[in-house]
Amino acid sequence: MKKIAITTLAATALLFGVNGATAAEEKYVTIGTGGQTGVYYVVGQSICKLVNRGEKEHGIKCTAPSTGGSVANLNAIRAGEQDMGVAQSDQQYKALNGQGDFEAAGPFKELRAVFSVHPESFTVVARKDSGIKTFDDLKGKRVNIGNPGSGQRATIEALMKEKGWDTSVFKLASELKAAEQAQALCDNKIDAMVYVVGHPNGSIQEAASSCESIVVPVDGPAVDKLVEQFPYYATSVIPGGMYQGTDKDTPTFGVMATFVSSTKTPDGTIYEVVKAVFDNFDRFKKLHPAFANLDPKRMMKAGLSAPLHDGAVKYYKEKGWM
Ligand code: GLU
């Protein structure tokens, strides 16, 4: 009887003790991602999964909701609505310097890079019956240029500017979200969709296998000029055979997906997040096929234009990587 009483007491004390400590220290952080069918969503979910495994030690509870994409994430981090987010390297550069979509807001000086993730290709998929074979064939067609806030929208606008096009060159310029466009393509509501995304990707797979469609080359002088002019663009290739209907390699250009934050997010938080990813790197790499070739030392540099966050620097120095 006595023994039970003591045990109960101890258990109660333990319960209260633990609850009290957790409540005081628990810190909720959010990572902005992209559409649920993209790779950013997997990046955010994977990082949170690894962070949350150590919640008992560091008290950080991480969530990674679906968002509008790169531009939306950068704006939300600036507004203090998100602590971290995934963003294309071109949009990271433009936010830092107050260009493109970020012109009105001006330079985002508090923006900090944490690491880069996978490469992303500017990907155009067209219905076979549309007759579209090159990017220039999109003229006069129904094209989904993406939701405002997405990276694909920002990047196609950069390419269109280089070509001297505006949306009036299209028969229809729709603004569907990334997660909606494969179905719209196969329902014959649009002729082509645009997605800046890592490969292989479920949404492109859906478009390629649910109806007859092809991956369209995006090359020529305007693309060459973008790549020459700007450090954050590079030529890229979508491997032949990856998607049904496209057996040959498709040339295009691309960016890096990068993980960013701001000086507002404490060094300790970023340190724990970076530690969770790189201490469990083999596990992280297995969470999406687009992560297969990731190399930590390259991830500290590739595609980053904002200064590194101090919390990330602390971890990289501990590892002897810098
Ligand atoms: N690159 C896209 C964007 O910035 C997102 C791609 C993805 O979700 O994987 O909006």
Side-chain angles (χ1 to χ4, degrees):
M1 182 63 195
K2 203 177 167 195
K3 202 172 169 193
I4 291 173
I6 288 169
T7 314
T8 314
L9 202 73
T12 313
L14 196 71
L15 202 71
F16 275 102
V18 168
N19 277 349
T22 328
E25 288 164 15
E26 197 142 37
K27 219 178 337 174
Y28 289 87
V29 298
T30 52
I31 297 176
T33 62
Q36 278 178 4
T37 56
V39 186
Y40 285 13
Y41 191 68
V42 184
V43 171
Q45 293 292 319
S46 303
I47 293 174
C48 281
K49 190 186 278 177
L50 296 176
V51 169
N52 292 341
R53 282 172 73 223
E55 192 190 335
K56 275 212 197 91
E57 290 97 66
H58 52 53
I60 300 170
K61 173 100 184 113
C62 176
T63 52
S66 164
T67 71
S70 287
V71 174
N73 293 340
L74 286 159
N75 286 331
I77 292 170
R78 188 172 198 164
E81 292 157 4
Q82 284 171 13
D83 306 285
M84 295 159 269
V86 194
Q88 291 176 198
S89 49
D90 56 344
Q91 302 313 309
Q92 181 190 137
Y93 180 95
K94 288 182 186 188
L96 182 71
N97 295 296
Q99 299 171 2
D101 286 310
F102 308 96
E103 210 177 310
F108 180 8
K109 295 207 179 77
E110 299 77 22
L111 179 63
R112 290 293 176 271
V114 181
F115 49 77
S116 63
V117 203
H118 55 283
E120 301 185 275
S121 292
F122 185 90
T123 309
V124 178
V125 182
R127 289 178 63 86
K128 215 169 172 188
D129 62 13
S130 69
I132 295 167
K133 292 205 170 66
T134 69
F135 186 80
D136 287 352
D137 294 339
L138 294 178
K139 276 186 169 178
K141 302 289 185 186
R142 302 166 302 164
V143 181
N144 189 51
I145 59 171
N147 60 290
S150 70
Q152 43 277 5
R153 175 62 171 267
T155 306
I156 197 175
E157 280 176 356
L159 178 56
M160 285 167 59
K161 195 170 162 205
E162 196 61 55
K163 284 185 169 288
W165 294 8
D166 62 25
T167 50
S168 70
V169 305
F170 304 121
K171 184 172 167 194
L172 169 77
S174 59
E175 299 188 312
L176 297 173
K177 289 191 226 158
E180 300 165 334
Q181 52 181 353
Q183 171 142 22
L185 187 84
C186 287
D187 286 349
N188 201 9
K189 297 206 169 96
I190 52 174
D191 297 306
M193 59 182 255
V194 175
Y195 204 2
V196 177
V197 74
H199 294 282
N201 163 253
S203 141
I204 306 291
Q205 236 143 24
E206 184 191 337
S209 57
S210 309
C211 58
E212 278 200 85
S213 57
I214 59 157
V215 182
V216 177
V218 185
D219 53 4
V223 171
D224 292 345
K225 235 175 130 194
L226 283 181
V227 171
E228 264 164 41
Q229 241 176 308
F230 301 114
Y232 41 77
Y233 290 130
T235 54
S236 93
V237 165
I238 300 164
M242 189 171 263
Y243 300 107
Q244 199 173 314
T246 306
D247 300 329
K248 284 200 204 130
D249 286 359
T250 308
T252 182
F253 72 108
V255 293
M256 293 298 291
T258 70
F259 190 61
V260 297
S261 184
S262 87
T263 53
K264 268 188 220 148
T265 305
D267 295 355
T269 304
I270 297 298
Y271 174 83
E272 291 296 346
V273 170
V274 171
K275 185 171 161 57
V277 170
F278 290 106
D279 280 3
N280 300 289
F281 199 58
D282 288 335
R283 192 186 285 254
F284 180 77
K285 265 167 76 165
K286 284 191 194 116
L287 295 171
H288 195 285
F291 304 159
N293 299 318
L294 295 186
D295 165 45
K297 288 191 191 143
R298 199 174 122 73
M299 290 168 72
M300 287 168 43
K301 296 195 189 99
L304 307 182
S305 39
L308 280 173
H309 197 288
D310 286 343
V313 168
K314 182 176 175 223
Y315 182 84
Y316 300 148
K317 282 196 170 150
E318 269 176 21
K319 281 295 214 185
W321 294 345
M322 60 185 292

